[in-house]
Amino acid sequence: MRLVDLLRTAISNSLRSKLRTSLTVIAIFVGAFTLTMTSAIGTGITSYIGNQVASFGASDVLTVTRTADDQLASRDGPAPYDPDAPTLGGGGFGGGGGGGFAPTPLSDADLGTIAATPGILTVDPIVPIMPSYIQHAGGERFELSVNATAALGRVDLAAGSQLSTDGTRNEIVLPTSYLDALGFENAEAAVGQGVIIGITDYLGVMHEVEAVIVGVQNESLFGSTAALGRQLTDELVAIADTGRPESLRQGYFAATATFDPDAGAEEVTAIKAHLADQGFTAQTVADQIGILQTVIDGVILIFNGFAVIALLAASFGIVNTLLMSVQERTREIGLMKAMGMSGRTVFALFSVEAAFIGFLGSAIGALVAIMIGTLISGILADTVLSGLEGLQVMQFAPASVATIILIVMAIAFFAGTLPARRASRQDPIDALRYE
Amino acid sequence: MTDTILEARDIHKSYGRGPARFEALTGVSLRVEAGESVAIVGKSGSGKSTLMHLLALLDSPDQGAVAIEGKVAGELSVRQVDRLRNTMFGFVFQQFFLIPSASVLDNVILPLKIARVAPRERHERGMAVLRQLELDDKAANKAVNLSGGQKQRVVIARALINEPRVIFADEPTGNLDTATGRLVEDILFRLNREQGITLVIVTHDTDLAARCDRQVIIRDGTLVAAPEGPLPPVVDPAAAHAGPAVTHA
């Protein structure tokens, strides 16, 4: 039999008993619908997280901290005092050191050690900047929290441009939540406008610094923090350190180290291992956010598990449907075999029929899932999730939808092999005698 | 002048095992020459259908051999046997075995589909054979909507479409009234006469058997009389009482 004839015959056979076929198709529909939905949620959230990763730091950047002392927790009693250990100044990050989990700060010597690690290009300490307020055009003053690592990364922009890496002016990227408060109509209107940032030095004297808004950032998972350009960061750090006695030089809670952007995964692993040997923990941004991703992946996996169970149940439906067909068409099968159809062709006819039923169920399931998912996703983005800009909960990637359809067809095909085998082994004489 | 097209050499066939074992054929030898018409006659359960199935390569004997044009079927691959049946044989059964939901034409061209013939040629040959059987106006009808006689003509059309050398007919008129049965017989014998198609007919209808060149009478798995070559019609007394009587008006 020609392939075209085989496909056509199998399809028309599956449509012969419409009620039975449609019931089986519904069972597959449920599984395919669920799979498509969960995979879309996976794609949506992963792509959102991907944007967040990009906004949090570049991919060639490691955040390096001193590895927490594992023995601390199991040791009976307090740790011995080390007069040479650096202390965290500036507040906020050390948390008082009483928790036992606070990282030991990095000293300038540590920075040298990190810089000497093969593969590391540059090392910059992360210095906490605590500006007092931000103000636009003489308006009200607002508190400003700053993302200390933003100078290195790219942000998810609503308008404007990224921070320049070697800018000579004071640049700032504000989150959209500041727009209203500072009196801007929209994101576009804010770009290019000047703001004033207030910061106190070590002695408590207030200084004001002018900066230009170069971009507006979408709200992110990590809260509404402003990103400062390098020039502005340096200036604010200099002000904050004004008047600080040399003996109170602070350590750094972390440092960022860059490596060759072309480095492969193995090289990055080698760098991390090297740093680990020296008592440092190095993480790429992807590592840090990977934990969140792992949790979401786990939830999606559970949903996929349910979908697969639904598909398994549906595949028994296919077996049942086709067994009935084989029973019904015993004489027809016998006749076709008598007329010289090979057992292989009979097998192919029934398994293709099963795969077609699988295709019907999965294609309709995926299509309906895409329609409903797009609708729900749009509604959610405008209501419940409007705080998380740029988040489309469900994104339907053509490749994954196609994969789901193919997987379901494969499952259906395998379910069909049992009845198909039975049909192909039928003895033409027994079949023709069958009344 | 004639060639042996079908040959059975001392074939044995049994079904079941143990006490339920049933010897359908116990040593049957038979030669069918190309172009002749042979009636296999016998009571139901005598083994006549089994003999036909073996000759038609629908089944293989436990012992002995079946040869098609001198080739021993047991030595051929499954694929070759399938191909032989597809290209050389046509089948007409008592039950029509038509696909009810498919059109008459689709039913008729099924063997060509199996033989991988291209759609255009299938259509042409299908229509030609339907014309031959005066069914061309029914080509698009569903098979289920035909009368018994029309159905059996469709079955003959299906058996003819691959231009077979042999047509096997198992009680071809069993489901038809006498007049229609007579028409179907006429078609079969005309094909035998005009196109030289060998006929192997299994029947317990003595009139039909009598129209064949030769009768092979089978009883309890053995041939009672298998005269070589064409003979005048002989009616076996046993066959006259066999099975459900076919009444003649």
Side-chain angles (χ1 to χ4, degrees):
Chain A
M1 220 169 180
R2 288 168 174 236
L3 186 63
V4 181
D5 289 326
L6 196 140
L7 294 179
R8 201 174 284 167
T9 310
I11 289 172
S12 73
N13 281 349
S14 68
L15 298 177
R16 245 195 258 175
S17 178
K18 292 197 180 59
L19 178 66
R20 205 164 57 201
T21 302
S22 34
L23 287 175
T24 316
V25 164
I26 289 173
I28 300 164
F29 168 91
V30 173
F33 178 84
T34 318
L35 261 186
T36 312
M37 280 293 203
T38 52
S39 96
I41 293 172
T43 312
I45 291 180
T46 306
S47 106
Y48 180 68
I49 286 177
N51 286 342
Q52 300 298 321
V53 169
S55 79
F56 218 57
S59 57
D60 57 348
V61 175
L62 286 169
T63 304
V64 185
T65 53
R66 182 167 277 289
T67 305
D69 192 348
D70 286 344
Q71 293 172 345
L72 211 63
S74 56
R75 184 160 38 201
D76 294 327
Y81 172 66
D82 178 2
D84 296 331
T87 55
L88 270 178
F93 291 101
F101 292 105
T104 317
L106 299 170
S107 63
D108 284 329
D110 290 333
L111 295 183
T113 313
I114 296 167
T117 304
I120 297 289
L121 301 179
T122 63
V123 178
D124 289 297
I126 297 175
V127 185
I129 302 167
M130 311 292 287
S132 304
Y133 61 84
I134 184 167
Q135 185 185 23
H136 170 64
E140 210 178 324
R141 297 168 177 184
F142 295 94
E143 285 188 8
L144 178 65
S145 54
V146 170
N147 177 357
T149 60
L152 293 157
R154 292 181 303 105
V155 294
D156 185 16
L157 285 174
S161 55
Q162 303 285 350
L163 293 166
S164 58
T165 46
D166 49 358
T168 48
R169 47 178 196 167
N170 287 339
E171 296 179 339
I172 184 167
V173 170
L174 283 178
T176 47
S177 55
Y178 277 82
L179 293 177
D180 262 359
L182 292 175
F184 296 114
E185 285 265 308
N186 53 38
E188 279 75 19
V191 175
Q193 297 293 313
V195 287
I196 290 171
I197 295 165
I199 187 165
T200 56
D201 63 20
Y202 194 74
L203 302 172
V205 180
M206 182 65 70
H207 300 256
E208 289 197 334
V209 178
E210 284 181 22
V212 177
I213 302 172
V214 293
V216 177
Q217 179 189 2
N218 280 323
E219 295 278 308
S220 82
L221 270 184
F222 306 100
S224 323
T225 53
L228 308 181
R230 181 150 300 187
Q231 172 79 16
L232 182 58
T233 306
D234 290 348
E235 189 170 340
L236 292 178
V237 168
I239 293 170
D241 277 348
T242 304
R244 187 195 297 271
E246 194 57 30
S247 63
L248 287 177
R249 282 287 296 169
Q250 59 179 340
Y252 311 104
F253 84 99
T256 54
T258 58
F259 53 88
D260 184 359
D262 297 330
E266 280 175 30
E267 291 163 65
V268 176
T269 311
I271 294 172
K272 284 186 201 165
H274 203 119
L275 287 170
D277 290 344
Q278 299 171 73
F280 300 108
T281 302
Q283 289 183 308
T284 60
V285 179
D287 290 339
Q288 295 167 6
I289 295 180
I291 298 162
L292 180 63
Q293 179 86 58
T294 308
V295 172
I296 291 169
D297 283 350
V299 173
I300 288 169
L301 201 68
I302 292 169
F303 277 120
N304 280 344
F306 287 130
V308 168
I309 290 171
L311 282 175
L312 273 182
S315 69
F316 282 100
I318 293 179
V319 174
N320 194 25
T321 303
L322 287 181
L323 277 180
M324 283 169 73
S325 288
V326 172
Q327 188 86 359
E328 251 171 37
R329 281 187 245 153
T330 301
R331 294 198 301 186
E332 188 184 321
I333 297 163
L335 177 82
M336 291 193 295
K337 291 189 99 174
M339 292 189 309
M341 185 179 277
S342 66
R344 283 213 327 245
T345 312
V346 174
F347 181 88
L349 265 181
F350 278 89
S351 11
V352 167
E353 183 175 340
F356 176 70
I357 292 176
F359 171 75
L360 271 187
S362 57
I364 298 174
L367 202 75
V368 173
I370 289 172
M371 291 194 304
I372 293 181
T374 311
L375 202 72
I376 290 179
S377 186
I379 293 172
L380 283 180
D382 290 342
T383 55
V384 185
L385 300 172
S386 59
L388 295 171
E389 279 166 62
L391 172 60
Q392 281 288 324
V393 183
M394 284 174 251
Q395 280 181 20
F396 296 92
S400 56
V401 172
T403 310
I404 289 167
I405 292 179
L406 285 179
I407 288 176
V408 174
M409 283 177 72
I411 292 176
F413 181 88
F414 282 113
T417 53
L418 181 78
R421 227 165 80 100
R422 177 175 284 197
S424 72
R425 291 190 163 185
Q426 225 158 41
D427 186 348
I429 304 170
D430 289 343
L432 290 174
R433 255 196 227 117
Y434 177 90
E435 294 291 330
Chain B
M1 75 171 216
T2 50
D3 302 317
T4 304
I5 191 161
L6 304 173
E7 186 181 2
R9 298 173 191 155
D10 191 29
I11 51 175
H12 293 250
K13 182 75 185 175
S14 62
Y15 296 106
R17 19 181 58 214
R21 190 178 160 89
F22 167 66
E23 301 279 346
L25 291 178
T26 53
V28 172
S29 294
L30 176 69
R31 292 161 81 101
V32 177
E33 308 301 326
E36 73 172 329
S37 57
V38 178
I40 301 176
V41 193
K43 285 189 202 173
S44 51
S46 60
K48 59 187 192 304
S49 288
T50 303
L51 178 59
M52 190 206 87
H53 291 153
L54 289 170
L55 287 174
L57 307 184
L58 290 171
D59 206 349
S60 48
D62 299 336
Q63 273 177 54
V66 174
I68 310 297
E69 294 187 304
K71 287 182 293 243
V72 176
E75 292 166 5
L76 300 175
S77 69
V78 175
R79 184 185 286 237
Q80 283 170 314
V81 170
D82 282 341
R83 197 170 150 64
L84 263 183
R85 278 206 309 273
N86 183 250
T87 54
M88 274 190 73
F89 298 162
F91 293 95
V92 177
F93 298 101
Q94 178 176 4
Q95 306 282 327
F96 308 120
F97 298 129
L98 293 170
I99 300 169
S101 56
S103 74
V104 166
L105 184 64
D106 281 343
N107 266 293
V108 168
I109 63 172
L110 189 54
L112 296 186
K113 249 189 202 175
I114 294 170
R116 306 175 65 89
V117 173
R120 179 191 292 266
E121 190 188 339
R122 285 201 307 243
H123 185 86
E124 281 167 8
R125 284 170 66 177
M127 288 311 292
V129 78
L130 283 176
R131 253 193 308 280
Q132 189 184 343
L133 292 164
E134 294 162 14
L135 279 168
D136 44 337
D137 55 329
K138 302 270 188 242
N141 288 28
K142 282 195 172 181
V144 73
N145 297 331
L146 300 179
S147 72
Q150 286 169 333
K151 278 182 185 163
Q152 196 59 303
R153 264 150 66 205
V154 174
V155 170
I156 293 173
R158 186 177 63 192
L160 272 182
I161 190 143
N162 55 353
E163 292 162 0
R165 304 279 309 280
V166 186
I167 287 182
F168 291 95
D170 192 350
E171 303 285 4
T173 56
N175 259 353
L176 304 174
D177 62 67
T178 316
T180 319
R182 175 64 63 160
L183 277 175
V184 168
E185 283 172 23
D186 289 346
I187 295 169
L188 287 174
F189 285 106
R190 197 172 67 231
L191 291 170
N192 172 247
R193 213 168 43 243
E194 291 172 3
Q195 297 182 26
I197 296 175
T198 310
L199 285 184
V200 176
I201 301 176
V202 170
T203 186
H204 47 239
D205 176 352
T206 47
D207 287 356
L208 172 56
R211 292 184 68 178
C212 294
D213 297 337
R214 181 153 72 100
Q215 289 86 39
V216 173
I217 299 149
I218 194 163
R219 188 185 296 149
D220 299 332
T222 48
L223 294 190
V224 177
E228 291 296 325
L231 279 184
V234 175
V235 178
D236 175 49
H241 310 290
V246 180
T247 52
H248 300 276

